[in-house]
Amino acid sequence: MEFYRAHVLVCGGTGCTSSNSEKIRQEFIAQLNKNKLDKEVQIVVTGCFGLCAQGPIVIVYPEGAMYTMVRLEDVQEIVEEHLIKGRLVKRLMAGDKDHEDPSKSLENVDFFKRQVRIALRNCGVINPENIDEYIAYDGYKALAKALTEMKPEDVIAEIKKSGLRGRGGAGFPTGLKWELTSKAKGSQKYIACNADEGDPGAFMDRSILEGDPHSVIEAMIIAGYAVGADQGYIYVRAEYPIAVNRLEIAIAQAKEYGLLGKNIFGTDFSFELELRLGAGAFVCGEETALITSIEGHRGEPKPKPPFPAVSGIWQKPTLLNNVETYANIPVILNKGADWFTTIGTEKSKGTKVFAVGGKINNTGLVEIPIGTSLREVIYDIGGGIPNGKKFKAAQTGGPSGGCIPASHIDTPIDFETLRELGSMMGSGGLIVMDEDNCMVDIAKFFLEFTVDESCGKCPPCRIGTKRMLEILERITGGKGEMEDIEKLEILSKNIISSALCGLGQSAPQPVLSTLRYFRDEYIAHVKDKKCPAGVCKSMMSYVIAADHCKSCGICARNCPVNAISGDKKVPYVIDQEKCIKCGVCMTKCPFKAIFKNA
Amino acid sequence: MSSNNCCCGIVDEKARKLQEIIENHKGQKGALIPVLHEAQDVYGYLPMSVQKTISEGLDVPLSEVYGVVTFYTQFSLKPKGRFKINTCMGTACYVKGSNLILEKLQEKLGIHVGDCTEDGKFSLEACRCIGACGLAPVIMINDDVYGRLTPDDIEKVLEKYKDL
């Protein structure tokens, strides 16, 4: 094995790859070669470090200096200053720049300080394309322990004792699911992993697969041993090419090491794993639809019962868990259920990964103990709302969830409290909205999504959500009536009680939730024909304040539809008939003379 | 004749690859979706003739093949442009104004979502979250991601593809 005096970790998660980290890696290689350092310093591409907003991220070890927003032209400086002269490039460093020990400098950064990384333990730490690095971080140790020291029922007992609940959204006790599948009758059983992360705004499963694919593979083999299955399927979105690629590499490496295949660790236990690519259907995140899709059909859900634990893939008992749930398993077996139960709340143990996005400074991925308050996530970890705007609401659970308004910002986040508030944990998307977001418009956005993604099998979802969307379009279009609000509520109740699957049953939640906390906004749209946030175009106009206008004509020249006219020394005016409300004039006006009139 | 040869050569090559894909998956349980994925990689889309060949090759009714193709948004019945523009309409991008980005793209390209420009250069799609929420709002052109966009940036982005 070769030894290096320093390691440069370059984030290869989707966020950083999108902001050019691959070119930065190549530049490092070029610069190291130029300085003949390629035998002394190793470049490692890792998974997501979490702080996507500050990407691309580069960490240099042994010092542990974290450089953020690294540009191509910065690479030379890092190589020459840090790697050759041993001086940190402070201007690029995150955290406490003057801390004596750079690796400790991050400990005082709130974004990292409050996190507990279990599912994300290896993300941003190891090279996901190298099984040896995973093994060096206790990888496959839990599998060895399970196969050689524990009986299948011991494994299940340990998971039950840990109190782990499904991280896909509903929070079903994982150990119980394992037990049900293990007790189901049948000689052939399957293990499946739900990596069809369809919730827009959630990318934690993707980051785990990209940053630590072996943790999921190891957990699935353990699950196979615990319930008595010899075949597993990972159903992953085709839209995640990096994740698919790293999974393929990881499976091949595990096979090569004898960790997949026949007689694993010299025992009688054998297990095979296959990838199945999704093809862009949100409903396939629903378990029965996912199973139908693995079988090669249209991903339409089926009535439950029978549950997959009894009759799943090809009518055989199937254990289906989500990516993040699996990523917790090896740690629980290594450190013990007793350790795991010290984290979290009474009813919900452990941590939850959230993809924090929207109007927040530190967009990215955070893993927090369940029960952390929303305020801590938004202000302490997330760094607050940009541009001094006011926090309005956070949306969790995507199209199946709801929003948590500012008045409930101190609520501890767990499965039960979120449900009481009319939202849900969901897979972990957490979208922050400020005063410039219109809640009726947001509800409409989610309904558009469900109408689009409804599979069409059952009428309450297919027709009901469409009718709801039409009403919302009427309201945001300035043509709503007070009885429309009532109709929305009646329709919602009917859809919830009669739709076939989780997608339909939860589709009205964004509407009900915004009605619960922001009813006055709906009423303003309907009664006063006003959008308080100034988002709904039919209800707002741009006007030029005559006393501020210097008649420069910049607005008129930039207007794409020639709706602005005026002359020298005469204030310009906007023809409201012609105006398409694009807002270009307002952004171009050098004198801030143009206002949005909501 | 010689010019035809060239073209037929390509057609045959694709047909041969398709047969190979079908052979590889024959007899495998639930093979239809993996075969469709690979066939689309070869042809760029899934025209009726390809669906017929798959239906016969895997012994799956054509109605079922068509049903699956039209169910999943990844599968396309129409050819795509050389540069596929995907506008992310995930929640994080939406609250940061991705609808304005999409409007600008439609205006600049003169096409609607789902269509392709007449010269076959650009096609425009709206997609559900590409997972780069930290850079919202984002668009993807083929495999390249452009993030932290404003509507004014669109012209500059498209300019890069002018001579390609």
Side-chain angles (χ1 to χ4, degrees), chain A residues 543-549 571-572 592-595:
Chain A
V543 270
I544 301 175
D547 49 341
H548 285 77
C549 178
Y572 278 63
K592 301 201 188 319
I594 303 180
F595 295 93

Side-chain angles (χ1 to χ4, degrees), chain A residues 124-373:
Chain A
V125 178
I126 62 167
N127 176 355
E129 297 183 9
N130 185 345
I131 189 171
D132 292 330
E133 295 202 9
Y134 179 68
I135 291 171
Y137 278 82
D138 289 344
Y140 292 104
K141 193 171 146 190
L143 176 65
K145 184 176 172 186
L147 289 186
T148 58
E149 295 170 24
M150 297 168 88
K151 289 197 213 103
E153 51 270 31
D154 299 338
V155 177
I156 293 175
E158 192 72 8
I159 302 299
K160 273 181 89 171
K161 196 174 154 201
S162 75
L164 177 67
R165 297 171 67 171
R167 301 295 192 239
F172 189 81
T174 305
L176 184 59
K177 211 179 207 179
W178 288 33
E179 190 178 52
L180 290 171
T181 318
S182 123
K183 286 186 177 159
K185 288 196 177 74
S187 52
Q188 175 69 62
K189 292 177 187 177
Y190 295 107
I191 303 294
C193 172
N194 186 347
D196 189 52
E197 188 171 50
D199 173 1
F203 55 99
M204 63 288 304
D205 292 349
R206 152 180 227 159
S207 296
I208 293 171
L209 295 174
E210 287 177 357
D212 195 15
H214 284 288
S215 68
V216 175
I217 295 172
E218 181 180 4
M220 289 181 75
I221 308 172
I222 295 171
Y225 173 71
V227 308
D230 62 358
Q231 172 74 46
Y233 293 97
I234 302 179
Y235 186 86
V236 56
R237 292 181 82 194
E239 292 94 324
Y240 285 1
I242 303 179
V244 171
N245 179 257
R246 293 201 178 137
L247 275 172
E248 281 170 350
I249 294 172
I251 290 175
Q253 289 176 341
K255 275 189 184 155
E256 198 191 314
Y257 277 53
L259 297 163
L260 277 173
K262 298 226 174 303
N263 305 107
I264 300 169
F265 285 119
T267 63
D268 294 338
F269 177 65
S270 304
F271 193 76
E272 297 288 348
L273 198 53
E274 244 182 72
L275 277 191
R276 282 294 157 98
L277 298 197
F282 177 67
V283 70
C284 288
E286 197 279 337
E287 54 185 4
T288 59
L290 184 145
I291 286 167
T292 322
S293 183
I294 287 181
E295 292 168 352
H297 308 292
R298 292 165 66 94
E300 289 176 354
K302 289 179 190 155
K304 291 187 279 193
F307 289 92
V310 175
S311 172
I313 301 174
W314 292 297
Q315 286 81 52
K316 307 291 182 199
T318 301
L319 174 73
L320 178 60
N321 283 137
N322 142 286
V323 171
E324 191 187 329
T325 315
Y326 280 127
N328 277 288
I329 301 288
V331 190
I332 293 175
L333 289 193
N334 278 335
K335 296 196 177 177
D338 291 332
W339 164 82
F340 192 75
T341 52
T342 59
I343 306 161
T345 63
E346 195 196 331
K347 285 185 177 165
S348 311
K349 301 299 178 192
T351 58
K352 177 78 194 84
V353 184
F354 283 96
V356 185
K359 305 281 184 67
I360 188 154
N361 280 315
N362 297 339
T363 45
L365 217 53
V366 302
E367 182 166 357
I368 47 167
I370 296 179
T372 305
S373 78

Side-chain angles (χ1 to χ4, degrees), chain B residues 87-108:
Chain B
T87 316
C88 182
M89 293 296 272
T91 321
C93 286
Y94 187 80
V95 301
K96 286 190 155 182
S98 60
N99 52 335
L100 303 177
I101 306 281
L102 188 60
E103 274 173 28
K104 192 77 177 183
L105 279 166
Q106 303 197 57
E107 180 201 317
K108 286 282 161 207

